[in-house]
C-alpha cells in the first residue's frame, strides 16, 4: 500500500476514534443529573490544569440559587409517616374498595402530611366516583396524627381542633369563618364578629399556636438527598404563556485559563506542545458537550411546556398522554436522547418541583379510553387489588368487569399487562388459604 494511502487511512481511523469518544462523552454528559454533572466537572478540573469551573458548589441549599434540599434526618431508621398510617389502616379498616383508595391517598401525601393531589383530577383520570374518593379522604383525615390529609393550612388546623375535645369552644369557628382575619392578626374584627371578650380571643390564639402546621414532619422521610432543578418554568397566567430557562447549575460557566496556557506555548519541547494542544481540545469538546446538553434539555422542556400547558395553567393540573417518541419526532432527535434528557432532570414552577419524565404518560390503546393514560388506569387496578378479599382475590377477568362499571373498557390481556407492570402477582398467587 502506498505511503500516502496508508497515511490517509490512519488519519481517518484516528478521526473516527476521536469522534466516537466525543460522542460517548456527549451522551454521558446529557445523561448526568446536576449533582453527577458537577462531580464530573470537578474531575475534569483536576485532570486539566487549564480548565476552571466557576461557582461549582452544591454543598449549601439556597432558594435564590434554585437549590432545594429534602429534609435529611440523622436517624434513617425512624418510622415514616406512610408506614405509621398504613399500620393504622390495617388495624382499623376492613378490606373494602374504599380502603384501597385510602391507601392510594396515603401515597399522595407529602412529607408534612398534606394531600397535594387534586381530587377532581384523580376522579377525571381514574373514573373513580367522587363520593368514594371523598369518603376515603374523610377516613384518612381521621387517622393519627391529627391534621394529616389536609389540603391546606386552614383545613390542617381545623382537623386538629376537631380531634381535640379540650379545644376552646370557639376555636373551630374562628379558623373556619375568620381564617384570613386570624392570619392578619385582626383580633378586634374577630372579637366584634363573635361578640366575645379580649381574654377569650387571647386564649384561642394561644391555643392555636400550640397546633402543628406540619403534622407529618415529626416522622422520618423515605427519600434522603438533594434535588437541583435543571429548568425554571415561569408561568404567565394572564397571557397563558410559559417561559422556560436553564438554571445556572445545569448551565455552569467553564473558562479556559488562557494566560496560564500562554506561559507554556513557546517552550521548545514537542511533548509539551502536544500536551497543550490536547488539553485545549479537551476544553473545546467539553464546552460543546455542555452546550449541547443544555440545548437539548431546554428544547425538551419547551416541548413539555407546550404540550402539557394545561398542567401549568389549570388548577386541576391535568396531564395528557405523551410518549418519548412523540417528542423525539418533533425535535428530530433519537428516542434514547430524549430519555437521557428527562431522566433525573427536574423543573421548578411556582407550585412545585417535578421530574421531567413524570410528564410522559402512555395513552390507553382504546378509542373509548382516549382521554385516559395507562398510569391512571394502573392506579385504579392497584386500588381494586388493595381492597380485595385476600381469600377471594380478583382475577384479571373480574377486574375487567369491575373496570367496566367505571366506564373503563379493557381486554383481559391488557389488564394482565398493567398488573404485571405494577409487579402484582396473579390472583392464584395472591390467594390466601382459608
Amino acid at each position: 500500500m502506498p505511503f500516502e494511502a496508508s497515511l490517509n487511512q490512519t488519519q481517518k481511523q484516528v478521526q473516527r476514534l476521536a469522534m466516537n469518544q466525543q460522542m460517548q462523552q456527549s451522551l454521558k454528559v446529557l445523561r448526568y443529573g446536576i449533582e453527577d454533572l458537577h462531580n464530573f466537572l470537578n474531575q475534569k478540573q483536576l485532570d486539566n490544569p487549564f480548565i476552571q469551573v466557576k461557582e461549582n458548589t452544591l454543598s449549601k441549599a439556597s432558594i435564590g440559587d434554585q437549590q432545594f434540599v429534602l429534609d435529611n434526618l440523622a436517624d434513617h431508621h425512624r418510622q415514616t409517616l406512610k408506614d405509621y398510617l398504613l399500620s393504622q389502616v390495617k388495624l382499623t379498616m376492613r378490606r373494602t374498595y374504599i380502603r384501597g383508595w385510602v391507601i392510594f391517598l396515603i401515597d399522595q401525601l407529602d412529607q408534612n402530611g398534606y394531600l397535594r393531589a387534586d381530587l377532581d383530577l384523580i376522579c377525571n383520570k381514574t373514573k373513580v366516583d367522587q363520593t368514594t374518593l371523598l369518603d376515603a379522604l374523610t377516613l384518612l383525615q381521621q387517622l393519627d396524627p391529627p391534621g394529616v390529609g389536609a389540603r391546606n393550612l386552614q383545613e390542617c388546623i381545623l382537623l386538629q381542633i376537631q380531634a381535640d375535645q379540650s379545644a376552646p369552644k370557639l376555636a373551630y369557628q374562628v379558623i373556619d369563618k375568620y381564617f384570613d382575619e386570624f392570619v392578619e392578626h385582626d383580633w378586634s374584627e374577630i372579637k366584634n364578629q363573635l361578640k366575645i371578650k379580649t381574654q377569650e380571643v387571647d386564649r384561642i390564639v394561644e391555643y392555636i399556636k400550640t397546633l402543628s402546621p406540619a403534622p407529618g414532619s415529626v416522622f422520618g422521610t423515605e427519600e434522603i438527598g438533594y434535588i437541583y432543578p435543571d429548568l425554571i418554568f415561569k408561568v404567565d397566567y394572564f397571557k397563558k404563556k410559559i417561559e422556560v430557562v436553564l438554571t445556572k447549575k445545569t448551565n455552569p460557566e467553564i473558562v479556559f485559563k488562557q494566560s496560564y496556557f500562554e506561559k507554556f506555548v513557546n517552550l521548545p519541547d514537542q511533548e509539551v506542545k502536544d500536551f497543550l494542544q490536547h488539553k485545549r481540545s479537551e476544553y473545546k469538546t467539553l464546552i460543546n458537550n455542555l452546550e449541547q446538553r443544555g440545548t437539548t434539555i431546554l428544547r425538551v422542556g419547551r416541548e413539555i411546556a407546550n404540550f402539557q400547558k394545561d398542567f401549568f395553567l389549570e388548577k386541576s393540573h391535568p396531564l395528557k398522554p405523551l410518549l418519548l417518541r412523540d417528542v423525539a419526532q418533533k425535535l428530530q432527535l433519537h428516542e434514547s436522547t430524549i430519555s437521557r434528557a428527562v431522566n433525573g432532570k427536574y423543573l421548578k414552577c411556582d407550585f412545585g418541583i417535578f421530574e421531567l419524565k413524570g410528564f410522559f404518560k402512555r395513552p390507553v390503546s382504546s378509542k373509548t379510553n382516549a382521554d385516559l393514560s395507562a398510569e391512571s388506569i394502573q392506579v385504579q387496578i392497584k386500588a381494586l387489588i388493595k381492597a380485595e378479599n385476600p381469600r377471594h382475590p380478583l382475577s384479571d377477568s373480574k377486574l375487567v368487569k369491575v373496570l367496566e362499571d367505571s366506564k373503563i373498557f379493557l381486554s383481559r390481556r391488557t389488564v394482565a399487562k398493567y398488573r404485571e407492570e405494577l409487579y402484582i402477582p396473579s390472583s392464584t398467587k395472591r390467594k390466601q388459604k382459608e
Side-chain angles (χ1 to χ4, degrees), residues 159-176:
L159 289 170
Q160 292 178 69
I161 296 172
Q162 204 170 28
D164 185 1
Q165 294 181 353
S166 63
K169 185 178 179 180
L170 295 175
Y172 189 94
Q173 190 173 352
V174 167
I175 298 301
D176 186 38

Side-chain angles (χ1 to χ4, degrees), residues 12-123:
K12 288 179 181 178
Q13 289 175 343
V14 171
Q15 288 172 353
R16 190 178 297 114
L17 177 61
M19 285 298 294
N20 288 339
Q21 290 174 338
Q22 290 176 17
M23 189 177 299
Q24 288 173 8
Q25 187 185 97
S26 176
L27 295 175
K28 184 189 294 185
V29 168
L30 178 60
R31 187 178 69 245
Y32 285 147
I34 288 184
E35 195 164 2
D36 288 335
L37 174 66
H38 283 256
N39 289 335
F40 168 76
L41 294 177
N42 280 332
Q43 187 59 51
K44 283 292 180 184
Q45 197 170 223
L46 293 173
D47 295 341
N48 191 330
F50 306 107
I51 289 179
Q52 181 182 0
V53 184
K54 289 197 171 182
E55 298 178 357
N56 186 30
T57 175
L58 295 178
S59 60
K60 295 182 179 179
S62 164
I63 292 179
D65 290 332
Q66 286 78 47
Q67 299 178 26
F68 299 85
V69 183
L70 298 177
D71 288 335
N72 191 348
L73 301 179
D75 184 0
H76 295 187
H77 302 290
R78 292 172 62 186
Q79 186 180 38
T80 65
L81 175 64
K82 179 180 176 181
D83 291 337
Y84 181 58
L85 294 173
L86 288 177
S87 67
Q88 295 176 67
V89 169
K90 291 176 183 177
L91 290 173
T92 61
M93 299 182 193
R94 293 181 295 106
R95 284 182 177 269
T96 60
Y97 177 60
I98 196 170
R99 179 181 185 264
W101 282 105
V102 173
I103 296 172
F104 168 78
L105 291 177
I106 288 174
D107 285 336
Q108 311 306 309
L109 298 178
D110 66 14
Q111 63 186 15
N112 291 321
Y114 283 86
L115 181 65
R116 300 301 187 186
D118 186 278
L119 297 186
D120 290 333
L121 178 61
I122 294 173
C123 290

Side-chain angles (χ1 to χ4, degrees), residues 388-429:
E388 71 186 2
N389 185 337
R391 292 188 174 87
H392 302 285
L394 297 169
S395 66
D396 294 335
S397 297
K398 288 181 180 178
L399 285 170
V400 168
K401 292 180 180 179
V402 175
L403 289 169
E404 285 179 358
D405 294 337
S406 298
K407 308 299 182 185
I408 299 175
F409 302 96
L410 300 172
S411 67
R412 188 197 63 78
R413 181 179 296 179
T414 302
V415 169
K417 183 184 75 170
Y418 289 163
R419 173 180 54 73
E420 290 168 358
E421 288 178 355
L422 291 167
Y423 300 102
I424 298 175
S426 64
S427 58
T428 55
K429 293 183 179 179

